[in-house]
Structure formats: structure tokens, C-alpha cells
Amino acid sequence: MNDRLHPTAIRPSPIELEARFGAHNYHPLPVVLTRGEGVWLRDTEGRRYLDMMSAYSAVSFGHGHPVLVAALTEQAARLAVTSRAFHSDRLGPFLERLCTLTGMDRALPMNSGAEAVETALKAARKWGYKVKGIPDGQARIVVAARNFAGRTTTIVGFSSEAQYRDGFGPFAPGFDTVPFGDLAALEAAIGEHTCAVLLEPIQGEAGIVVPPPGYLRAARELCTRRNVLLLCDEIQTGLGRTGRRLAVDHEDVVPDGLTLGKALGGGLLPVSAFLAREDVMAQFTPGDHGSTFGGNPLAAAVGLAALDLLERERLAERAAAMGERLIGALQALAHPAVREVRGRGLLVGVELAPGFASARAVCEALMAQGVLTKDTHGTVVRLAPPLVIDAPQIDFAVAAFARALKACGG
């Protein structure tokens, strides 16, 4: 039916179209967004919302930052994608800047965070066989329970979340799981065939879980002593989110391998990378690994602009100050429905007391108050705004949170 010939025909809403034609693998809040600027989003009805999730840290620089949009549009008009079959004038400077800022020797660019983690796993296994001398096919990697590193079959295979695994096996072997933050368990899990330990410095999807003080430093010392690679997944925590350039910087830890993503694309496109010391990255030779889009000129130009912006606007320092304000104000609410406020910088989780409304219900109440964010596992409200947020906006979010709790019966 042609709607032009039938002006009374009613088109389905965007939500209805998504429900009809999309896979039902998400359960979004009932809001249809159409514009974003800085820390603010607008829906199709013109309502404005404070973004307190920033796309799981992908929009760390805010929506539509003019510097990043300019880098994107200028490069898109010149050259966007060539594949790594050829060199580009954008990739080298991007890799140099990435390695300089992180202290790593080399970087391998990819697209999604999951691809970066898969790259790290391949590098660690090959290093285990070629350098450490582990018998072929017997390399093992230690991971933490309640980890989240992506959705590929290898990664969900070492997840401890039943839903992430249900119906997707068989899974790749070679992973040993230990409780996050338990150093004794980590040491006991490392055997002669262990090639690597993979850890998030702060577990995001698990509910913003911060390990005990000194845990990462002790894990670093343990891995060095046992000749095992320490791989740190900083896809959500990296690039200023926790108040330092990297979350491992809080304990002066230098990992052997590092994954970055999300914020690296400036909130404009997917950009990720695996970074490592020389002997780890040297295990890759031409033909071992690749990506059609990984390291494309457009991604490199935006990534380079994002890294420069991170330093020029001192966004890590800003995250530290605004995060202290956010955590302090939430704790000062002293609300009986709040069991715990935890996090670092602008990566904050509010765990709700048992018996109170679900975290999803609180997020829906927050939406009604002009704040958008997401729950995790039904019990924790995630608060992780763009790093460009200011003090009045932090105060607005906390006041809205208090009203949302009241609306939910608290």
C-alpha cells in the first residue's frame, strides 16, 4: 500500500518496526532518540535527557564533539577504507600515538572490543607455544568469574553467566576460571601450561566491581614470577574513564598485553586495538591475523583525534574530579534502598538493596526524570556519563536519582 495515496494510513512507530523486523536480543528502554549534543540526548518528541551511560564508555567525549566530527568528515571526504593490503598516511601516526600514550611497544588495530580480545587470546597462545615452550594444543588462559569481554563463541565460552552460554556451545577449551580479586585462587590456577591471565581492572558488566587494593599489582608480580602474560581488558575502563589514562595506572601496573576500544572511536565509529610488548606482538606474521576494516584510514584519523583530545582537555583528570563528586553525592543520599555505591572516576555502580524495586524499574523512573542509563543484572544501576560532564550536570543526575528512588517506593 502506497502511503501517499492513502494519507490516513498510520505508519508503525520506530519501536514497533524494530520489534517486528529486528532480532529480539535487546530490551531497550522505551525511548526513541534522534539527536545528541555533548552530554544531552533528545527523543523524537523533543524531550531532553542527560546521558549517564555514554554507550558503555563509547561516547566518552560526548555526542558529536566538533573536533571529532571534523576529523571524521575531513577524512571521509579524502579516503575511508583501503584494507591493510596497502599503507595509508593515517595509520602510522595513530599507532605511534597509541603506543606512546599506553607505554606499549606495538599495536594491532581492530574494530570491536570482542575482536581486540580475540586478538589478545591468539597472541597469548602463540607466545605460549613459540616462546614459553608449551606443548602444542595445551595452552591455558586464566580468567575471572563474572567477566565480560564480548559475545563471540570463544569469549562466551569462558563466561560464568549461564545466559551468555545457553545454546551456543560447544566451546573452545583451555580456560580456567577463578574468583575476581582472589589472589590465592589466581596463583593456584596457574600451571605449567598457563600462557596468560586475562583480567578487567574493574568488572563493568558484573556491576562495577572494583578489586581489593593491591590486587592488580600482586597479579602483575605473580605473572612475572611464573612467566605468564598479564592481559588487561581496558575496553570500558581505558582512556580516562576511571580518572587515570588507564585503570591499571591506579596501581602503576604495566601489562604485557592491553585491549582498548569503545572510547577509541570517539563515539562515532567502532575502533579497537590490541597492544603488547615486542616479543608478544612479534608472534604475528603476515597472514596470521587480519581485518578488512581494522586500521582503516577513517578509523585511524578519528582514533588519533580522540587520543589527542583526551590529553588536551585533560579528561582523565576531569573524570577523577567529577567522579569524586558523583560518588560522594550518591553516598550522601544515605538512602535505605542503596546498598552500596562503588566505582572509580566516572564508572559508578549503585547496588540496590534486596527487596527494593529492580534496577530496571529505577532506570525507567530515571528516564521519566530526564536521565538515561542502564541496569546490569537487575540489581545495579550503572552511572557512566561522558567525561565532559560538569558539576551542575552531576548534581542534576543525583537529584534525579533521588526522585527516581522515591517514585519506586523508596
Side-chain angles (χ1 to χ4, degrees), residues 28-42:
L29 292 177
V31 60
V32 181
L33 302 174
T34 186
R35 295 187 64 83
E37 182 179 0
V39 299
W40 299 101
L41 291 162
R42 287 192 182 272

Side-chain angles (χ1 to χ4, degrees), residues 184-386:
L186 177 61
E187 183 163 17
I190 295 176
E192 61 178 334
H193 294 161
T194 302
C195 63
V197 171
L198 172 65
L199 296 173
E200 298 162 86
I202 297 175
Q203 290 192 320
E205 188 66 16
I208 320 301
V209 180
V210 182
Y215 172 72
L216 292 174
R217 186 181 302 113
R220 167 70 282 175
E221 295 168 354
L222 172 61
C223 288
T224 300
R225 187 169 71 251
R226 300 290 293 273
N227 192 25
V228 168
L229 301 178
L230 176 62
L231 308 176
C232 289
D233 177 357
E234 293 246 21
I235 290 164
Q236 288 195 37
T237 58
L239 304 181
R241 171 57 53 185
T242 68
R244 300 289 296 271
R245 188 180 292 161
L246 300 173
V248 293
D249 293 343
H250 288 282
E251 295 194 9
D252 298 319
V253 166
V254 178
D256 304 302
L258 173 70
T259 56
L260 292 175
K262 297 197 183 295
L264 193 55
L268 298 176
L269 71 169
V271 183
S272 69
F274 169 60
L275 300 99
R277 71 188 197 200
E278 182 73 36
D279 65 314
V280 177
M281 198 68 81
Q283 302 314 307
F284 286 121
T285 59
D288 278 356
H289 193 57
S291 165
T292 299
F293 286 89
N296 67 74
L298 187 61
V302 172
L304 178 59
L307 293 173
D308 287 344
L309 196 61
L310 175 72
E311 297 299 296
R312 186 165 65 251
E313 296 194 355
R314 301 179 65 84
L315 292 180
E317 293 88 340
R318 187 185 189 94
M322 292 299 101
E324 183 177 350
R325 186 182 188 96
L326 176 59
I327 292 172
L330 289 167
Q331 291 173 336
L333 292 177
H335 198 285
V338 175
R339 184 177 184 178
E340 184 181 14
V341 179
R342 54 180 179 256
R344 273 194 179 136
L346 286 173
L347 182 60
V348 179
V350 181
E351 184 172 349
L352 301 176
F356 190 67
S358 70
R360 166 82 184 201
V362 173
C363 289
E364 291 174 346
L366 276 168
M367 185 179 74
Q369 297 294 329
V371 173
L372 290 179
T373 193
K374 184 71 171 62
D375 67 293
T376 178
H377 294 296
T379 59
V380 177
V381 176
R382 180 190 187 95
L383 298 171

Side-chain angles (χ1 to χ4, degrees), residues 49-74:
Y49 304 87
L50 181 63
D51 182 0
M52 289 297 289
M53 194 182 83
S54 62
Y56 300 102
S57 298
V59 189
S60 284
F61 301 96
H63 297 275
H65 195 295
V67 170
L68 300 180
V69 171
L72 176 79
T73 53
E74 179 184 347

Side-chain angles (χ1 to χ4, degrees), residues 121-136 139-140 192-196 227 229 280 283:
L121 299 176
K122 289 174 73 173
R125 284 174 171 167
K126 194 167 185 183
W127 176 88
Y129 298 132
K130 303 298 183 180
V131 177
K132 188 173 180 178
I134 296 171
D136 188 49
R140 305 196 66 81
E192 61 178 334
H193 294 161
T194 302
C195 63
N227 192 25
L229 301 178
V280 177
Q283 302 314 307

